Protein backbone atom coordinates (compact mmCIF):
# COMPACT_ATOMS: atom_id res chain seq x y z
CA UNK A 1 0.00 0.00 0.00
CA UNK A 2 1.08 3.62 -0.49
CA UNK A 3 1.10 5.64 2.72
CA UNK A 4 1.07 9.43 2.54
CA UNK A 5 -0.01 10.30 6.09
CA UNK A 6 0.16 8.53 9.44
CA UNK A 7 -3.11 7.55 11.14
CA UNK A 8 -4.54 9.54 14.02
CA UNK A 9 -4.70 7.85 17.44
CA UNK A 10 -8.15 7.14 18.86
CA UNK A 11 -9.40 8.00 22.37
CA UNK A 12 -6.33 10.16 23.01
CA UNK A 13 -7.87 12.75 25.38
CA UNK A 14 -7.86 11.35 28.94
CA UNK A 15 -10.08 14.22 30.14
CA UNK A 16 -13.02 12.74 28.23
CA UNK A 17 -13.01 9.48 30.19
CA UNK A 18 -15.65 8.80 32.89
CA UNK A 19 -14.74 9.89 36.41
CA UNK A 20 -13.87 6.98 38.68
CA UNK A 21 -12.74 6.94 42.31
CA UNK A 22 -9.49 5.08 42.83
CA UNK A 23 -7.97 3.33 45.81
CA UNK A 24 -4.27 2.49 45.81
CA UNK A 25 -2.67 -0.59 47.31
CA UNK A 26 0.96 0.14 48.28
CA UNK A 27 1.91 3.86 48.09
CA UNK A 28 5.33 3.51 46.49
CA UNK A 29 7.19 5.30 43.72
CA UNK A 30 5.03 4.19 40.79
CA UNK A 31 1.83 4.86 42.76
CA UNK A 32 3.01 8.42 43.28
CA UNK A 33 3.67 8.96 39.58
CA UNK A 34 0.29 7.44 38.72
CA UNK A 35 -1.61 9.62 41.20
CA UNK A 36 0.13 12.80 40.07
CA UNK A 37 -0.75 12.35 36.41
CA UNK A 38 -4.29 11.07 37.03
CA UNK A 39 -5.05 14.19 39.08
CA UNK A 40 -3.38 16.48 36.54
CA UNK A 41 -4.70 15.09 33.27
CA UNK A 42 -8.00 13.32 33.95
CA UNK A 43 -11.24 13.97 35.81
CA UNK A 44 -10.62 10.91 37.97
CA UNK A 45 -9.53 10.99 41.57
CA UNK A 46 -7.50 8.86 43.96
CA UNK A 47 -9.66 8.99 47.08
CA UNK A 48 -8.00 6.41 49.33
CA UNK A 49 -4.70 4.66 49.90
CA UNK A 50 -3.98 1.47 51.80
CA UNK A 51 -0.63 0.84 53.46
CA UNK A 52 0.69 -1.47 56.16
CA UNK A 53 2.69 1.55 57.34
CA UNK A 54 0.30 4.25 58.55
CA UNK A 55 3.09 6.82 58.49
CA UNK A 56 3.92 6.01 54.90
CA UNK A 57 0.27 6.11 53.88
CA UNK A 58 -0.28 9.45 55.59
CA UNK A 59 2.81 10.95 53.93
CA UNK A 60 1.53 9.80 50.53
CA UNK A 61 -1.93 11.23 51.22
CA UNK A 62 -0.51 14.60 52.24
CA UNK A 63 1.71 14.81 49.18
CA UNK A 64 -1.02 13.89 46.70
CA UNK A 65 -4.16 15.29 48.32
CA UNK A 66 -5.73 11.89 48.98
CA UNK A 67 -8.71 11.95 51.35
CA UNK A 68 -8.38 8.71 53.33
CA UNK A 69 -5.64 6.40 54.58
CA UNK A 70 -6.48 2.80 55.45
CA UNK A 71 -4.10 0.86 57.74
CA UNK A 72 -4.71 -2.39 55.83
CA UNK A 73 -5.37 -3.51 52.29
CA UNK A 74 -8.50 -5.27 53.48
CA UNK A 75 -10.00 -1.98 54.64
CA UNK A 76 -8.95 -0.25 51.43
CA UNK A 77 -10.74 -2.73 49.15
CA UNK A 78 -13.87 -2.63 51.34
CA UNK A 79 -14.10 1.18 51.14
CA UNK A 80 -17.54 1.87 49.57
CA UNK A 81 -16.28 5.08 47.96
CA UNK A 82 -13.64 3.21 45.92
CA UNK A 83 -14.66 2.13 42.41
CA UNK A 84 -11.37 0.66 41.24
CA UNK A 85 -8.23 -0.58 43.00
CA UNK A 86 -4.74 0.00 41.63
CA UNK A 87 -2.34 -2.71 42.84
CA UNK A 88 1.04 -0.96 42.82
CA UNK A 89 3.10 -3.33 44.97
CA UNK A 90 6.02 -5.54 43.80
CA UNK A 91 4.76 -8.29 41.48
CA UNK A 92 5.45 -10.93 44.15
CA UNK A 93 2.31 -9.63 45.90
CA UNK A 94 0.05 -9.01 42.89
CA UNK A 95 -1.83 -12.32 43.00
CA UNK A 96 -2.80 -12.00 46.65
CA UNK A 97 -3.79 -8.34 46.48
CA UNK A 98 -5.65 -8.57 43.18
CA UNK A 99 -7.67 -11.51 44.52
CA UNK A 100 -8.47 -9.45 47.62
CA UNK A 101 -9.83 -6.57 45.53
CA UNK A 102 -11.77 -8.88 43.22
CA UNK A 103 -13.39 -10.61 46.20
CA UNK A 104 -14.55 -7.18 47.37
CA UNK A 105 -16.23 -6.60 44.00
CA UNK A 106 -13.83 -3.90 42.82
CA UNK A 107 -12.48 -3.31 39.35
CA UNK A 108 -8.71 -3.84 39.39
CA UNK A 109 -5.68 -2.40 37.61
CA UNK A 110 -2.62 -4.55 38.36
CA UNK A 111 0.85 -3.11 37.88
CA UNK A 112 3.16 -4.94 35.49
CA UNK A 113 4.35 -7.63 35.56
CA UNK A 114 0.80 -8.82 36.17
CA UNK A 115 1.89 -11.70 38.42
CA UNK A 116 5.05 -13.75 38.95
CA UNK A 117 4.02 -16.43 36.47
CA UNK A 118 1.25 -17.60 34.17
CA UNK A 119 -0.29 -19.96 36.74
CA UNK A 120 -0.90 -17.07 39.13
CA UNK A 121 -2.24 -14.96 36.27
CA UNK A 122 -4.73 -17.64 35.26
CA UNK A 123 -6.00 -17.81 38.86
CA UNK A 124 -6.54 -14.04 39.05
CA UNK A 125 -8.20 -13.93 35.62
CA UNK A 126 -10.58 -16.76 36.54
CA UNK A 127 -11.58 -14.98 39.75
CA UNK A 128 -12.29 -11.70 37.94
CA UNK A 129 -14.34 -13.42 35.26
CA UNK A 130 -16.38 -15.23 37.90
CA UNK A 131 -16.95 -11.96 39.79
CA UNK A 132 -17.81 -9.98 36.66
CA UNK A 133 -15.40 -7.12 37.46
CA UNK A 134 -13.00 -5.44 35.07
CA UNK A 135 -9.40 -6.63 35.39
CA UNK A 136 -6.51 -5.08 33.48
CA UNK A 137 -2.73 -5.20 33.50
CA UNK A 138 -1.10 -1.79 33.90
CA UNK A 139 0.94 -2.19 30.72
CA UNK A 140 0.65 1.54 30.15
CA UNK A 141 2.48 1.45 26.82
CA UNK A 142 -0.57 -0.24 25.22
CA UNK A 143 -2.72 2.85 25.89
CA UNK A 144 -0.36 5.62 24.78
CA UNK A 145 -1.41 7.55 21.66
CA UNK A 146 1.64 6.41 19.69
CA UNK A 147 0.70 2.76 20.34
CA UNK A 148 -2.55 3.28 18.47
CA UNK A 149 -0.66 4.82 15.55
CA UNK A 150 1.40 1.62 15.38
CA UNK A 151 -1.67 -0.55 15.88
CA UNK A 152 -3.42 1.04 12.93
CA UNK A 153 -0.35 0.87 10.71
CA UNK A 154 -0.02 -2.84 11.39
CA UNK A 155 -3.69 -3.52 10.79
CA UNK A 156 -3.52 -1.54 7.52
CA UNK A 157 -0.49 -3.55 6.34
CA UNK A 158 1.68 -0.45 6.01
CA UNK A 159 4.93 -2.44 6.29
CA UNK A 160 3.78 -5.51 4.40
CA UNK A 161 4.51 -8.94 5.87
CA UNK A 162 6.23 -8.52 9.23
CA UNK A 163 9.64 -10.22 9.31
CA UNK A 164 11.33 -8.89 12.44
CA UNK A 165 10.24 -7.21 15.68
CA UNK A 166 12.86 -5.80 18.03
CA UNK A 167 12.66 -4.30 21.50
CA UNK A 168 15.29 -3.56 24.12
CA UNK A 169 15.18 -2.20 27.65
CA UNK A 170 18.45 -2.09 29.52
CA UNK A 171 19.31 0.14 32.47
CA UNK A 172 22.53 -0.06 34.48
CA UNK A 173 21.05 -0.09 37.98
CA UNK A 174 23.76 -1.39 40.35
CA UNK A 175 21.13 -2.25 42.98
CA UNK A 176 22.44 -2.60 46.55
CA UNK A 177 22.26 -5.90 48.42
CA UNK A 178 18.72 -6.56 49.56
CA UNK A 179 17.12 -4.52 46.76
CA UNK A 180 13.88 -5.98 45.39
CA UNK A 181 15.48 -6.45 41.95
CA UNK A 182 17.91 -8.93 43.47
CA UNK A 183 15.49 -10.61 45.88
CA UNK A 184 13.92 -13.89 44.68
CA UNK A 185 11.27 -13.59 47.41
CA UNK A 186 10.07 -10.36 45.77
CA UNK A 187 10.13 -11.93 42.28
CA UNK A 188 13.30 -10.02 41.47
CA UNK A 189 15.14 -10.11 38.19
CA UNK A 190 15.19 -7.86 35.17
CA UNK A 191 12.82 -9.88 32.96
CA UNK A 192 9.66 -9.27 35.01
CA UNK A 193 10.67 -5.70 35.84
CA UNK A 194 11.99 -4.23 32.56
CA UNK A 195 11.98 -7.07 30.06
CA UNK A 196 8.23 -7.43 30.31
CA UNK A 197 7.96 -4.25 28.20
CA UNK A 198 9.72 -5.55 25.06
CA UNK A 199 8.11 -8.98 25.54
CA UNK A 200 4.71 -7.31 25.61
CA UNK A 201 5.65 -5.17 22.61
CA UNK A 202 6.53 -8.30 20.64
CA UNK A 203 3.15 -9.78 21.57
CA UNK A 204 1.39 -6.52 20.64
CA UNK A 205 2.93 -6.54 17.16
CA UNK A 206 2.26 -10.25 16.67
CA UNK A 207 -1.39 -9.79 17.56
CA UNK A 208 -2.07 -6.84 15.29
CA UNK A 209 0.04 -8.18 12.42
CA UNK A 210 -1.68 -11.55 12.57
CA UNK A 211 1.45 -13.52 13.46
CA UNK A 212 -0.10 -15.62 16.21
CA UNK A 213 1.64 -16.90 19.32
CA UNK A 214 5.37 -17.77 19.28
CA UNK A 215 6.08 -21.26 17.96
CA UNK A 216 9.45 -21.43 19.74
CA UNK A 217 11.33 -19.51 22.44
CA UNK A 218 15.13 -19.35 22.61
CA UNK A 219 16.75 -17.61 25.58
CA UNK A 220 20.22 -16.94 26.95
CA UNK A 221 21.36 -14.65 29.72
CA UNK A 222 23.25 -13.95 32.91
CA UNK A 223 22.19 -14.50 36.50
CA UNK A 224 22.88 -12.32 39.53
CA UNK A 225 24.58 -13.92 42.57
CA UNK A 226 21.13 -14.25 44.20
CA UNK A 227 19.92 -16.45 41.34
CA UNK A 228 17.62 -13.97 39.61
CA UNK A 229 18.12 -12.94 35.99
CA UNK A 230 20.36 -9.92 35.46
CA UNK A 231 20.33 -9.99 31.67
CA UNK A 232 18.40 -11.87 28.99
CA UNK A 233 18.39 -12.15 25.21
CA UNK A 234 15.28 -13.76 23.75
CA UNK A 235 14.48 -14.89 20.21
CA UNK A 236 10.86 -15.72 19.41
CA UNK A 237 9.91 -17.65 16.29
CA UNK A 238 6.51 -17.17 14.65
CA UNK A 239 4.80 -19.04 11.85
CA UNK A 240 5.62 -17.77 8.38
CA UNK A 241 9.22 -16.98 9.26
CA UNK A 242 8.67 -13.86 11.39
CA UNK A 243 10.88 -13.44 14.44
CA UNK A 244 11.14 -11.16 17.45
CA UNK A 245 14.36 -10.19 19.24
CA UNK A 246 14.09 -8.99 22.83
CA UNK A 247 16.92 -7.82 25.08
CA UNK A 248 16.79 -6.68 28.68
CA UNK A 249 19.46 -5.98 31.28
CA UNK A 250 20.17 -4.39 34.63
CA UNK A 251 23.89 -4.42 33.75
CA UNK A 252 24.02 -1.97 30.83
CA UNK A 253 22.20 0.94 29.24
CA UNK A 254 20.53 0.35 25.88
CA UNK A 255 18.77 2.64 23.43
CA UNK A 256 15.33 1.43 24.66
CA UNK A 257 13.84 1.41 21.19
CA UNK A 258 11.36 -0.77 19.36
CA UNK A 259 11.01 -1.54 15.67
CA UNK A 260 8.99 -3.55 13.18
CA UNK A 261 10.55 -4.52 9.86
CA UNK A 262 8.37 -5.88 7.06
CA UNK A 263 8.50 -6.73 3.40
CA UNK A 264 7.38 -3.20 2.43
CA UNK A 265 8.86 -0.94 5.10
CA UNK A 266 9.58 -0.51 8.78
CA UNK A 267 8.29 1.24 11.90
CA UNK A 268 10.69 2.79 14.41
CA UNK A 269 9.81 3.77 17.98
CA UNK A 270 11.72 5.58 20.63
CA UNK A 271 13.80 6.34 22.42
CA UNK A 272 11.92 4.96 25.43
CA UNK A 273 9.39 3.18 23.22
CA UNK A 274 7.35 2.05 26.25
CA UNK A 275 6.62 5.69 27.26
CA UNK A 276 5.20 8.55 25.16
CA UNK A 277 7.37 8.44 22.03
CA UNK A 278 7.56 9.22 18.34
CA UNK A 279 6.60 6.84 15.53
CA UNK A 280 8.55 6.83 12.27
CA UNK A 281 7.28 4.94 9.23
CA UNK A 282 9.79 4.29 6.47
CA UNK A 283 7.92 2.97 3.42
CA UNK A 284 7.13 3.80 -0.21
CA UNK A 285 10.26 5.94 -0.42
CA UNK A 286 8.96 8.21 2.36
CA UNK A 287 9.90 8.82 5.95
CA UNK A 288 6.83 9.92 7.93
CA UNK A 289 7.01 10.90 11.60
CA UNK A 290 4.26 11.14 14.24
CA UNK A 291 5.32 12.96 17.43
CA UNK A 292 2.23 14.77 18.68
CA UNK A 293 1.74 13.52 22.24
CA UNK A 294 1.61 16.56 24.56
CA UNK A 295 2.67 14.38 27.51
CA UNK A 296 6.10 12.96 28.23
CA UNK A 297 7.59 10.45 30.63
CA UNK A 298 5.42 9.05 33.38
CA UNK A 299 2.70 11.62 32.69
CA UNK A 300 1.65 9.03 30.12
CA UNK A 301 0.38 6.78 32.92
CA UNK A 302 -2.88 8.73 32.82
CA UNK A 303 -3.83 7.14 29.49
CA UNK A 304 -4.25 3.68 31.01
CA UNK A 305 -6.46 5.11 33.77
CA UNK A 306 -8.60 6.81 31.13
CA UNK A 307 -8.84 3.61 29.10
CA UNK A 308 -9.92 1.61 32.13
CA UNK A 309 -12.57 4.20 32.97
CA UNK A 310 -13.93 4.05 29.41
CA UNK A 311 -14.10 0.27 29.57
CA UNK A 312 -15.98 0.37 32.86
CA UNK A 313 -18.39 2.90 31.35
CA UNK A 314 -18.91 0.56 28.39
CA UNK A 315 -19.63 -2.39 30.66
CA UNK A 316 -16.49 -4.30 29.66
CA UNK A 317 -14.64 -6.69 31.96
CA UNK A 318 -11.31 -6.64 30.14
CA UNK A 319 -9.29 -4.46 27.80
CA UNK A 320 -9.83 -4.89 24.05
CA UNK A 321 -6.30 -3.56 23.53
CA UNK A 322 -4.74 -6.15 25.84
CA UNK A 323 -7.14 -9.02 26.46
CA UNK A 324 -6.53 -11.04 29.61
CA UNK A 325 -5.65 -14.15 27.60
CA UNK A 326 -2.82 -12.15 26.02
CA UNK A 327 -1.57 -11.02 29.42
CA UNK A 328 -1.44 -14.69 30.43
CA UNK A 329 0.28 -15.65 27.16
CA UNK A 330 3.05 -13.06 27.67
CA UNK A 331 3.72 -14.53 31.10
CA UNK A 332 3.81 -18.01 29.58
CA UNK A 333 6.62 -16.76 27.35
CA UNK A 334 8.35 -15.20 30.36
CA UNK A 335 8.00 -18.50 32.24
CA UNK A 336 9.76 -20.32 29.41
CA UNK A 337 12.53 -17.72 29.29
CA UNK A 338 13.13 -18.08 33.03
CA UNK A 339 13.05 -21.87 32.71
CA UNK A 340 15.78 -21.77 30.07
CA UNK A 341 17.82 -19.34 32.19
CA UNK A 342 17.40 -21.52 35.29
CA UNK A 343 15.50 -18.96 37.38
CA UNK A 344 13.05 -20.40 39.88
CA UNK A 345 11.23 -18.15 42.36
CA UNK A 346 10.30 -19.32 45.88
CA UNK A 347 7.18 -21.46 45.83
CA UNK A 348 7.26 -22.18 42.11
Amino acid sequence: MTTTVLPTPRDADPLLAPKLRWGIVAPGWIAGRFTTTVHAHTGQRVVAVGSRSVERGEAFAREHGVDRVHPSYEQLVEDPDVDVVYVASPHSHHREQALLAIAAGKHVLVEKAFTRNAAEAREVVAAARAAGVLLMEAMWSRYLPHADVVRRLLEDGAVGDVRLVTGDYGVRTDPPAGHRLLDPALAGGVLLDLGIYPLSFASFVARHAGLGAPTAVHAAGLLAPTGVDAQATVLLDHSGGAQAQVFTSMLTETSRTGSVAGSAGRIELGPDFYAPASVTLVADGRRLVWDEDPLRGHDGLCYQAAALARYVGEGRTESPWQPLDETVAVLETADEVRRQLGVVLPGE
Side-chain angles (χ1 to χ4, degrees):
M1 63 173 291
T2 299
T3 302
T4 58
V5 63
L6 294 184
T8 301
R10 297 160 287 192
D11 299 326
D13 188 350
L15 279 172
L16 300 180
K19 298 178 181 179
L20 295 184
R21 300 168 299 176
W22 291 75
I24 288 183
V25 166
W29 181 86
I30 192 64
R33 300 302 184 276
F34 177 84
T35 302
T36 296
T37 188
V38 165
H39 286 176
H41 301 295
T42 81
Q44 302 180 71
R45 184 77 187 176
V46 175
V47 299
V49 60
S51 177
R52 293 191 173 124
S53 166
V54 174
E55 293 79 11
R56 189 181 186 193
E58 289 177 344
F60 185 94
R62 285 193 301 271
E63 179 179 357
H64 297 287
V66 176
D67 297 335
R68 290 184 302 288
V69 178
H70 293 289
S72 73
Y73 302 143
E74 291 80 5
Q75 287 175 292
L76 182 279
V77 301
E78 294 292 345
D79 188 329
D81 291 329
V82 169
D83 301 312
V84 54
V85 171
Y86 173 39
V87 176
S89 54
H91 27 270
S92 53
H93 295 68
H94 289 177
R95 169 194 168 274
E96 170 193 354
Q97 293 163 357
L99 289 174
L100 189 70
I102 291 166
K106 305 298 186 184
H107 305 298
V108 191
L109 178 68
V110 183
E111 188 50 58
K112 61 80 193 166
F114 187 71
T115 51
R116 299 189 307 165
N117 53 50
E120 291 183 351
R122 284 189 285 269
E123 183 181 0
V124 175
V125 168
R129 286 173 171 165
V133 298
L134 185 140
L135 174 67
M136 191 172 109
E137 181 181 12
M139 183 55 66
W140 61 306
S141 52
R142 294 288 181 108
Y143 305 97
L144 299 171
H146 83 262
D148 199 36
V149 175
V150 177
R151 184 181 289 111
R152 299 182 73 178
L153 287 172
L154 292 172
E155 292 174 348
D156 290 344
V159 297
D161 296 329
V162 171
R163 303 300 188 198
L164 176 65
V165 183
T166 67
D168 68 272
Y169 196 161
V171 177
R172 183 174 175 83
T173 57
D174 294 320
H179 191 277
R180 67 170 183 84
L181 276 175
L182 298 176
D183 189 348
L186 294 178
V190 73
L191 183 69
L192 293 179
D193 192 70
L194 302 182
I196 200 71
Y197 283 116
L199 273 185
S200 184
F201 176 66
S203 176
F204 163 85
V205 174
R207 177 166 173 247
H208 292 287
L211 302 181
T215 57
V217 178
H218 315 274
L222 301 171
L223 302 186
T226 58
V228 302
D229 48 287
Q231 183 166 291
T233 302
V234 182
L235 177 66
L236 305 176
D237 293 334
H238 290 268
S239 60
Q243 293 183 310
Q245 295 176 344
V246 168
F247 178 79
T248 188
S249 178
M250 66 172 78
L251 305 176
T252 186
E253 296 280 340
T254 68
S255 59
R256 301 192 289 274
T257 57
S259 69
V260 183
S263 58
R266 70 180 184 274
I267 300 168
E268 300 170 350
L269 305 180
D272 297 339
F273 72 93
Y274 53 88
S278 63
V279 177
T280 301
L281 174 66
V282 181
D284 305 318
R286 298 178 175 86
R287 187 178 184 89
L288 305 176
V289 179
W290 183 93
D291 192 11
E292 300 175 16
D293 194 337
L295 303 182
R296 283 294 182 262
H298 285 94
D299 274 352
L301 290 167
C302 68
Y303 291 114
Q304 66 182 351
L308 184 146
R310 286 195 301 270
Y311 301 152
V312 169
E314 294 165 359
R316 298 180 184 270
T317 54
E318 60 185 281
S319 166
W321 283 359
Q322 189 178 24
L324 293 171
D325 288 345
E326 187 183 353
T327 289
V328 173
V330 171
L331 283 170
E332 289 173 344
T333 300
D335 286 352
E336 176 58 19
V337 172
R338 290 195 297 114
R339 187 193 69 79
Q340 293 184 29
L341 297 181
V343 176
V344 180
L345 302 175
E348 288 188 318

